[in-house]
Amino acid sequence: MKSRKAELLVGLFVVLTIAAGLILALKVANQSISSSADTYTLYAKFDNIGGLKARSAVKVGGVTVGRVDSITLDNEDFTPIVAMSISKEFQKFPETSSVAILTSGLLGEQYIGFQPGFAIDGIENLVDGNYIQDTKSALVLEDLIGQFLFGNND
Amino acid sequence: MNWLANIGASTIERVVMFGRATLMLFGALVAKPQPLKMLPLTIKQLYVVGVQSLLIIVVSGLFIGMVMALQGYTILVGYGAEGSLGPMVALSLLRELGPVVTALLFAGRAGSALTAEIGLMKATEQLSSLEMMAVDPLRRVIAPRLWAGVISMPMLAIIFSAVGIIGGHLVGVDWLGVDEGSYWSIMQATVEWDKDVMNGVIKSIVFAFVITWIATFKGYDSIPTSEGISKATTETVVFSSLAVLGLDFILTALMFGIE
């Protein structure tokens, strides 16, 4: 009987661990948009990416649709190229869409704001590997302060 | 010249001890697997090593999570960033405190008990009696304890982290009034499964292996007197705590250091 009790309690221990692991997986780490199988990649060139990092969010109207995959520098014209993996759930973005690097709150982290364009006849949808043409760079605080101080009114 | 000889002697002694420890490990683990014999023994040890450590792990996890929420709140509220309490509590628990504090508690609670038990078996010549009966004490006594330690400590660390995050929720959200939505959602946006959770689990597997190895070896290698056992038990706790802290720095540098 003694070993039966031990087995029962070890079983309880295992169940407890699985429960804790599930809490960590679902509640804490939120395993949902992560596997690379159900995403596609879009690219965008910015003049300045500010504090954007890999794994930053890509949002449409505040809803996260993907993440920044990698940030590299184009060797030809020395502008940063941002690769974004977008969930396959959201596929029908027109070619006229634009992206901007925005900041959540005053001191928050930076993310990519994705602004879907108008779908008119003759405009195709963005597919895997496309470049988004219309981009807006990050606001660099120092530049803003410089413009303000030196009254650059143009 | 005497001091030079002393340095040499102590170095040789250490290397020889490490060799004995490695031999013991091989003798215990590298052999024909006998699941029918080993499984009941390992389950019994899982009960002794794992289940009986559960209470201290849960209680300290809860209180560490609560204290971190309290401390973090008083600092973060000054910047109006108390919404970041969730990721702060979760990341420090998953990356550092979960594996490390569990390992230190485990060394004190289970490691010392393992050393004392095996040391007393040696002192009362139970190990020799096993050998007389053609039962390998390494396979019969050491191996189940090693496996039980390596299996149960990562489980304890996962429970520790989960309970700590719930403790942080208890203090941060239910008591201090941080918004519940931002506590969970910013945590979910920040914590990554493979980078944060899995690296913590890998850390605790390494710690578990080191602690149970030190504990079983110190018991197996102890001088079979009451004084020798007490010395071995102390050394288990001291050595494994130091090894955990040192290894933690190395592992952290490898995992989260330079990208």
Side-chain angles (χ1 to χ4, degrees):
Chain A
M1 269 329 266
K2 181 79 184 72
S3 104
R4 177 100 186 115
K5 190 184 157 211
E7 278 173 11
L8 266 175
L9 285 166
V10 171
L12 189 75
F13 181 38
V14 172
V15 170
L16 215 63
T17 309
I18 294 172
L22 277 181
I23 289 179
L24 293 186
L26 301 175
K27 196 94 184 174
V28 178
N30 199 20
Q31 279 286 80
S32 52
I33 314 175
S34 61
S35 58
S36 56
D38 50 7
T39 61
Y40 65 104
T41 309
L42 296 177
Y43 297 92
K45 277 187 177 181
F46 293 93
D47 292 332
N48 190 335
I49 57 161
L52 196 73
K53 292 182 186 66
R55 301 281 309 164
S56 294
V58 178
K59 294 182 181 180
V60 176
V63 179
T64 304
V65 297
R67 302 216 166 264
V68 171
D69 205 33
S70 67
I71 298 169
T72 48
L73 194 68
D74 188 339
N75 253 335
E76 300 288 319
D77 54 5
F78 304 111
T79 50
I81 303 174
V82 176
M84 297 168 282
S85 47
I86 312 285
S87 171
K88 279 241 165 95
E89 276 177 71
F90 313 101
Q91 272 194 316
K92 291 188 174 170
F93 294 121
E95 266 188 329
T96 48
S97 301
S98 67
V99 286
I101 297 179
L102 304 173
T103 311
S104 54
L106 198 58
L107 296 168
E109 57 183 31
Q110 293 193 301
Y111 65 96
I112 291 188
F114 193 106
Q115 185 73 46
F118 291 108
I120 317 167
D121 286 347
I123 303 279
E124 290 181 15
N125 287 337
L126 287 166
V127 292
D128 187 49
N130 277 168
Y131 274 79
I132 298 169
Q133 302 299 332
D134 189 2
T135 65
K136 212 161 79 184
S137 287
L139 277 181
V140 179
L141 202 60
E142 287 87 338
D143 290 354
L144 273 186
I145 294 170
Q147 278 181 18
F148 177 72
L149 280 184
F150 299 111
N152 201 350
N153 294 329
D154 50 13
Chain B
M1 289 310 274
N2 224 349
W3 59 273
L4 201 63
N6 281 342
I7 293 176
S10 76
T11 310
I12 291 173
E13 193 188 317
R14 262 152 231 265
V15 172
V16 167
M17 196 173 84
F18 191 71
R20 282 205 306 276
T22 313
L23 278 179
M24 184 206 81
L25 192 68
F26 269 88
L29 298 185
V30 182
K32 199 177 74 175
Q34 297 167 305
L36 275 180
K37 266 191 204 167
M38 289 291 289
L39 210 59
L41 289 173
T42 312
I43 286 179
K44 175 140 190 300
Q45 288 308 317
L46 271 175
Y47 172 70
V48 173
V49 168
V51 177
Q52 293 190 345
S53 309
L54 209 52
L55 187 67
I56 189 173
I57 293 292
V58 168
V59 171
S60 29
L62 191 68
F63 275 90
I64 283 180
M66 279 160 52
V67 155
M68 260 199 328
L70 200 55
Q71 291 278 12
Y73 180 81
T74 53
I75 295 172
L76 290 173
V77 79
Y79 300 99
E82 67 267 27
S84 301
L85 190 69
M88 194 206 85
V89 171
L91 284 182
S92 25
L93 275 170
L94 288 170
R95 289 183 177 178
E96 286 299 330
L97 290 173
V100 173
V101 176
T102 309
L104 295 177
L105 290 171
F106 187 78
R109 165 67 185 77
S112 58
L114 281 179
T115 308
E117 190 189 8
I118 297 172
L120 201 66
M121 279 186 182
K122 193 181 180 187
T124 54
E125 300 190 334
Q126 294 180 41
L127 295 183
S128 319
S129 319
L130 280 176
E131 263 176 294
M132 291 287 288
M133 294 186 285
V135 177
D136 185 357
L138 287 177
R139 300 278 298 145
R140 173 86 196 180
V141 175
I142 307 287
R145 286 169 173 74
L146 267 172
W147 282 120
V150 173
I151 294 169
S152 59
M153 214 211 86
M155 294 163 75
L156 292 172
I158 291 173
I159 294 175
F160 184 96
S161 299
V163 170
I165 288 167
I166 292 168
H169 182 273
L170 219 58
V171 166
V173 176
D174 296 335
W175 180 29
L176 295 171
V178 174
D179 179 48
E180 175 162 19
S182 67
Y183 184 86
W184 290 117
S185 70
I186 303 181
M187 187 191 297
Q188 286 169 0
T190 320
V191 176
E192 289 170 43
W193 175 258
D194 44 349
K195 205 169 148 242
D196 298 319
V197 182
M198 273 305 139
N199 275 352
V201 172
I202 292 170
K203 264 188 185 178
S204 62
I205 292 174
V206 174
F207 295 161
F209 178 72
V210 170
I211 291 172
T212 34
W213 188 17
I214 291 177
T216 46
F217 174 67
K218 282 288 168 196
Y220 189 70
D221 202 49
S222 63
I223 304 159
T225 58
S226 44
E227 198 189 0
I229 295 172
S230 97
K231 187 164 163 263
T233 312
T234 312
E235 279 182 350
T236 294
V237 177
V238 173
F239 284 4
S240 40
S241 304
L242 289 178
V244 163
L245 295 173
L247 271 174
D248 179 52
F249 181 78
I250 296 172
L251 287 174
T252 307
L254 285 176
M255 288 168 174
F256 304 106
I258 307 138
E259 301 214 355

